[in-house]
Structures are given as structure tokens and as C-alpha cells.
Amino acid sequence: MAQQRRVQLSTQRPTSTVCVLGTELSLDVCGSAPKDAVTFNVQGTPGVKIYVVHDTQSVKLPSSVSRWPLAAGAEVLLAMDTISKDVGDEKVRISYYGEAGGVPVGRAMLYLTCVEISLDADTTRSGAVSKTLLDKATWTWGPDGHGAILLVNCDRDDPKAEMLDNHDTAIRSYDDLKDMSQMVLRTRGPRTIFTGHRLVLHVDFGDADKVGVFYGGNSVALEEYKHVLGGSKLVYAVKPSRHQEESIFYVEGLAFPDLDFSGLVSFHVTLLESPEKGLLETPIFTDTVVFRVAPWIMTPNTAAPLEVFVCSVDNNEDFVAAVGALAEKAKCPLTVCPLPENRQDRWIQDEVEFGYVQAPHKTFPVVFDSPRDRGLKDFPVKRILGPDFGYVARQAPEGASSLDSFGNLEVSPPVTVQGKEYPLGRILIGSSFPRFGGRRMAKAVRDFLVAQRVQAPVELFSDWLRVGHVDEFLSFVPAPDRKGFRLLLASPSACYQLLKEKQEEGFGEAVMFKGRVNMLVLGKHLGIPKPFGPEVGGQCCLEQRVRELLEPLGLTCTFIDDYFSYHLLSGEVHCGTNARRKPFAFKWWHMVP
């Protein structure tokens, strides 16, 4: 339904007003009628569409009826579909008649100027801003959904900068602008009309600390881009250019969705009519566009690896070499965090988790820094944060436990649960048993993960373990059939049964059991903790059983000796490595949470 505005008329002097393209004006024909008037007549110039509403019916003029009774509820509606070339170049005249008819007892004249004012964004999610008939003031999910998308500008495009791009109010590079979403204000019509009107761009108070808006005017020089909205700046007065019909604003996100933030942000442009001095300005038109801040999305083990991370600490040279050889097989770059940067902290899986953010115009990885904060606490900011590589963190005010380490944070491949599709998988976190107390992941982290909405978290009972991480007892590997993956679950009973069988076959006593599912998955190449089980026919029977289960899936098993360097310290291969992976091909806005 078109925006509609009531216009007061006068028989004493002409009235002038603006009609914004796509809106309607409702004329108060009864309020301006002389006392002895009983009927009225409406006439307008060709550029004005006129409708008379009478007895709940709307009649488009001209019609066979020449005069209309001034009954209660009588209304005249106007609309214009052509931009004016000059101020007041279209007009409407209302003539009032008494009981005798004949000569009018009064006339009201209205001069009209049609302008276009439109605030647009990429509501069609095509990667470019275009005008649309979609409702810009709403945001909907799904393949047929609509609504603009905003990225949290959490990378650092200028290597010389000391903070994230969205922590200041300056544009330091053109790459910084590319991370932002465009918002286009279109103004067409006689420029002189704005001498008696003011155009303001504004953001709701509750949204102001979630966004920043920059505007460079007619210039493309970086130094001309100014911070105009966001923070303490709620309103920006726009001065339409005499030579350009479009003003391009650049919008950045400052915060991810969270417990107290749905992710939706509204921007408005309002045309204010400036009356005589001493009176308040009157809003005569508002256009609104809604953005949703893109969520942080985690990638599963089954996604293609793009980069492998491992720490170099005292006496783990063989482990680093083995991980490097596996990465080379998978044709994946290896990044080694040196001792001065890890400060003898080898548990890189526990410190960070890799994910990404995505909008139709841009995708970039974002590292999620855990509340753990041990020796590796500075590594994500000093070595990972950079151009097109973002950073986000959450703290644990109540104090971090082992369950706040990100070895306790996994995500499944795409799944369907009881008919409900999760095309980006579901996040899995370890927790205590319900109603029995115990350790849980920090509330700030859990709230953050839930608020992203696209990978609905599931809490699993892991507090029975000393370390308590989900990666101690489950992992996902790619598979060519069924759902495209297999869930690997640690099974002490299956291991015991195997060892018992071998013992009964005369192959010696049962020995140690290690967490083989705590593995590094690089496509079809698996780096598995070497189990050191009983040898049968010159082969470790545990390694043999793992091969029998996984190699028919097209997977290659490489067993890595991590006994002294990780196992005795309560961790395995997955705990000591990390991987950045390829984003999902599926676009998150196509799902329905």
C-alpha cells in the first residue's frame, strides 16, 4: 500500500506541496469548504491522477459525475507518476458550490511538485544495488526471500593500523570500502524544491552502536569520506547535488548478532517540510531500508582445507614434520606458529576456530578467538587478523574452564533432522549433564553461537571426560555415498572387543587405547593419532581396523606419532592442529532457520 499524507487546503490562498513518486496525497476537501457549500468539483492538470472517494467507492476522474456531495467521509486522493521539471508545474483546483449551484462559493488551489526520493540497497541479494518493488522495510529468509545484508567490518585492510577496521571512524583504503554494503539515496526533481525542504538520513537510537555509515559526496578521494552516521551520530542532513541524482553511502557492521541484538538494522531517509520561522519542520515522506548483519559461519571437517596451522614448541619437531607432510599430500599450505608467538602453547585447536562471513558482494574468513587466552592468546590478532581476514572474540567473565576451549566446538556437515533441514550443519558443543551441574561452555560464547541462527547449536554430554571436549569422541569425514559424510564416534567397547579377540587368538595382552577420532581431516587425507596397539602379522591391529573402516570410503589414513608431544599432555592430533576451510557453496540467506 502506498504511503499516504493528508494535505490541508485553503480558499484564502493557494497551497503548495510536494508529491513523492509512489505516494498518495489525501486532500481535506471538507475542512477547507465554506460554510454554505454542499457540493464540490475537482479538476487537475494532465500530470495528476485524481480519485474521489465517496460512499466507500473510489472513482477515478474524469467521470460522468461533475459535482460531489460534501458528505462525511468524502475524500480526494492524488497521485503523480512523472517527475516535475519545475516547481509547482502541476495543479489541482477544488470548486465549492452552495444549494443554488451556479457560481462557486469558494475555490481552493493546490500547486504540486513531483519528486523522487528513494533509499535503496541490495535487497534482491544480487551483489548490486537496484530499484525494486520488494518491501525494503522487511527482511525475509529463504530462496525467495529479500532484504539487504551487511558485513561486520572486522578485518584490518591497512597492515599499519593498530585496530580492526570497524573500531575507528576513518576510511584507510579502497579495500575497506569493498567490505561495506552500499546504500543509495536517489533524488530526482527540481533542485530548488530543497530550499524549502530538508532531507535527512537517520538511524534508530537502538541500532546506532551496531553500524557505521560513510559518505564521500561527489569525490572518490579517500580523505573525502566522512563518518556521518553511527555511534553518537543519529541524523545526517543530506544536500542533494545539483549535478548528481544519486548519493552513495557505505555501511559497515560493528557487531555480530548476539543475545541482545537480532542482527536487523533499519535506516531511514525523511523529507522535512520547512514552514514559517518559529514552527517545527513537518515530515512529509519517509523511506526505510532494513539490513541484516551476516552471521559468523563455522565450517565442518568435511569442507575442503585451505590452510593448516600447527605450533612449533620444544620437542615436537617430528610432529610438525608429519603434519607438514600430510598437508603437502593434500596440497594445502602449512602455517607454523613459532615458539616466540605461541609461548609453549601447542593447543592451537583450543585457542581459535575458523569461519567466515558472507554477503552477496563479498566473503572473507573470520577467526573466532576463544576465552581460553593462554600462550596463544595474541596469535590470532598478531598473525591471523589482516586484509580480508576478520577477527571476533568473546570473553568468559565468570572465568574460563576447559569447556571454553574450541576443541569443544565442532560443526556437523549439512543434515536433516526430523524433516528440518540444516544446510550449514549444526554446531556441537560439549557440556554437563542437564540438571546435574558441572562444567559448561561460557554463556557469552553459547549466546553468540545461538544468535547466529544458521547453525543451531546442540549441547552434548562431555563433562564426563577430564578435558571434556567434543573432539575427544567424535569427528566427521567425507564419504562418496549416503549423506556425503560419516560420523566417527569413539567406542571403548568396540576397541575392547577387538583387543579381547586378538588376545584370545594368542596375540598377547591388551594395551593402551588412544583417541583415534581426534584426527586432522584434510579432504581424503586423514592424520590419525598412532594407536600403538598389538601387532598382528607385523601390523598394528588397531591401525588395521581403522583402515578397514575408512579406506573403502576413498580415504587415506596416515598415522602420526603424537604420544610424547601431545598424548601424554591429554591431547591428540586434532587438538594440536587447526584448519581454515572453504566456505559452503550454499548461501546462508537461502535457508529458513
Side-chain angles (χ1 to χ4, degrees):
M1 184 177 179
Q3 283 191 48
Q4 192 178 98
R5 177 168 60 94
R6 191 80 161 166
V7 176
Q8 304 296 323
L9 302 175
S10 172
T11 56
Q12 305 301 314
R13 60 184 178 274
T15 304
S16 297
T17 194
V18 168
C19 181
V20 179
L21 198 67
T23 67
E24 292 179 346
L25 299 181
S26 170
L27 306 188
D28 183 11
V29 291
C30 294
S32 61
K35 290 183 179 180
D36 52 351
V38 294
T39 62
F40 68 92
N41 170 265
V42 188
Q43 292 178 307
T45 50
V48 186
K49 294 181 178 179
I50 305 174
Y51 301 84
V52 174
V53 180
H54 181 70
D55 288 339
T56 70
Q57 292 184 339
S58 178
V59 180
K60 187 177 186 299
L61 300 189
S63 77
S64 59
V65 180
S66 60
R67 296 183 187 180
W68 301 87
L70 273 170
E75 186 180 17
V76 173
L77 299 180
L78 307 180
M80 302 176 71
D81 56 14
T82 303
I83 305 298
S84 293
K85 294 181 179 179
D86 299 300
V87 174
D89 62 358
E90 300 287 350
K91 57 188 176 183
V92 171
R93 185 178 66 188
I94 308 291
S95 300
Y96 295 99
Y97 298 89
E99 290 283 0
V103 179
V105 295
R107 286 194 176 97
M109 185 66 73
L110 175 64
Y111 289 93
L112 294 164
T113 306
C114 184
V115 300
E116 179 187 20
I117 298 174
S118 178
L119 189 61
D120 295 300
D122 182 17
T123 51
T124 60
R125 303 167 184 168
S126 65
V129 179
S130 60
K131 293 191 64 176
T132 176
L133 297 177
L134 296 173
D135 183 1
K136 299 177 291 185
T138 60
W139 203 100
T140 57
W141 296 85
D144 298 320
H146 68 270
I149 294 168
L150 191 60
L151 295 176
V152 176
N153 193 13
C154 58
D155 66 342
R156 186 169 60 195
D157 287 313
D158 182 358
K160 299 177 183 178
E162 296 182 355
M163 58 185 74
L164 277 65
D165 285 345
N166 62 1
H167 282 193
D168 59 25
T169 55
I171 299 294
R172 302 185 182 277
S173 69
Y174 290 106
D175 287 335
D176 195 10
L177 284 177
K178 293 176 182 177
D179 295 338
M180 302 184 192
S181 296
Q182 288 189 3
M183 183 167 62
V184 178
L185 173 60
R186 293 183 171 90
T187 54
R188 292 199 298 155
R191 273 354 199 192
T192 52
I193 197 70
F194 294 104
T195 59
H197 296 77
R198 198 159 65 100
L199 199 59
V200 295
L201 187 68
H202 51 110
V203 63
D204 298 339
F205 176 79
D207 294 341
D209 61 341
K210 310 296 192 303
V211 292
V213 180
F214 296 84
Y215 181 52
N218 298 328
S219 175
V220 294
L222 282 178
E223 59 271 16
E224 295 299 322
Y225 282 89
K226 307 300 181 186
H227 180 262
V228 297
L229 273 185
S232 61
K233 300 173 183 176
L234 303 180
V235 178
Y236 175 69
V238 183
K239 297 179 180 178
S241 167
R242 287 184 172 273
H243 309 291
Q244 288 186 313
E245 296 178 342
E246 293 186 354
S247 300
I248 301 177
F249 295 84
Y250 289 84
V251 189
E252 67 176 359
L254 305 184
F256 281 96
D258 215 323
L259 180 65
D260 57 353
F261 175 42
S262 69
L264 294 176
V265 179
S266 297
F267 292 97
H268 319 275
V269 63
T270 296
L271 183 65
L272 298 168
E273 194 168 46
S274 304
E276 299 174 1
K277 289 184 178 180
L279 297 177
L280 294 175
E281 294 176 309
T282 304
I284 62 175
F285 171 77
T286 296
D287 200 15
T288 297
V289 65
V290 172
F291 286 85
R292 181 179 289 279
V293 175
W296 179 79
I297 301 172
M298 190 174 164
T299 50
N301 281 352
T302 51
L306 299 176
E307 185 177 9
V308 177
F309 294 82
V310 67
C311 291
S312 174
V313 296
D314 291 344
N315 302 316
N316 81 333
E317 299 88 350
D318 291 344
F319 180 83
V320 173
V323 171
L326 183 70
E328 187 174 355
K329 286 181 183 178
K331 298 180 180 179
C332 186
L334 176 71
T335 294
V336 178
C337 176
L339 185 60
E341 294 181 10
N342 65 53
R343 293 178 294 183
Q344 295 290 1
D345 183 0
R346 69 195 66 206
W347 310 110
I348 195 166
Q349 181 65 230
D350 288 341
E351 183 62 34
V352 297
E353 190 62 68
F354 291 99
Y356 67 95
V357 292
Q358 185 174 52
H361 72 282
K362 185 73 180 280
T363 302
F364 61 81
V366 175
V367 61
F368 187 10
D369 193 358
S370 76
R372 171 181 178 269
D373 289 347
R374 297 187 190 173
L376 278 163
K377 69 184 183 71
D378 295 329
F379 178 70
V381 172
K382 289 186 175 180
R383 281 289 303 275
I384 299 177
L385 172 65
D388 284 345
F389 211 130
Y391 172 89
V392 64
R394 287 295 181 271
Q395 299 302 317
E398 66 271 30
S401 75
S402 174
L403 269 64
D404 295 318
S405 297
F406 282 174
N408 193 35
L409 174 60
E410 294 296 315
V411 66
S412 76
V415 291
T416 299
V417 181
Q418 296 180 344
K420 170 69 175 174
E421 293 183 356
Y422 297 90
L424 300 175
R426 297 192 70 175
I427 282 176
L428 307 174
I429 56 177
S431 189
S432 55
F433 199 77
R435 301 187 300 279
F436 283 87
R439 298 172 296 174
R440 290 187 78 187
M441 181 176 280
K443 183 177 184 301
V445 177
R446 286 184 282 118
D447 288 344
F448 173 84
L449 296 172
V450 170
Q452 307 314 301
R453 297 194 62 185
V454 295
Q455 295 176 306
V458 178
E459 292 190 59
L460 305 177
F461 180 36
S462 68
D463 195 30
W464 60 279
L465 293 161
R466 186 168 73 87
V467 175
H469 295 178
V470 291
D471 71 346
E472 295 180 75
F473 60 84
L474 65 80
S475 184
F476 296 92
V477 296
D481 56 358
R482 299 186 197 173
K483 298 179 183 294
F485 69 90
R486 292 289 192 278
L487 167 61
L488 307 185
L489 285 173
S491 174
S493 61
C495 183
Y496 173 78
Q497 186 62 37
L498 174 64
L499 296 176
K500 185 178 179 181
E501 288 175 6
K502 297 306 176 184
Q503 187 181 45
E504 291 173 352
E505 292 171 9
F507 290 105
E509 297 181 357
V511 292
M512 59 170 285
F513 166 63
K514 292 183 61 184
R516 286 162 290 160
V517 299
N518 191 282
M519 63 179 68
L520 175 61
V521 181
L522 302 179
K524 295 183 178 181
H525 299 274
L526 310 181
I528 305 171
K530 190 171 180 63
F532 294 101
E535 289 199 359
V536 177
Q539 280 192 326
C540 169
C541 66
L542 296 179
E543 289 187 19
Q544 182 62 27
R545 177 57 58 89
V546 170
R547 292 184 191 277
E548 290 171 357
L549 292 171
L550 298 181
E551 288 182 350
L553 300 175
L555 302 172
T556 300
C557 300
T558 300
F559 293 92
I560 297 176
D561 182 357
D562 68 348
Y563 182 74
F564 291 105
S565 54
Y566 291 86
H567 176 74
L568 292 182
L569 301 175
S570 301
E572 303 289 355
V573 173
H574 187 258
C575 305
T577 58
N578 214 319
R580 176 172 66 89
R581 300 179 184 275
K582 186 177 179 180
F584 286 97
F586 183 89
K587 307 302 182 186
W588 63 265
W589 51 87
H590 286 167
M591 73 174 292
V592 179

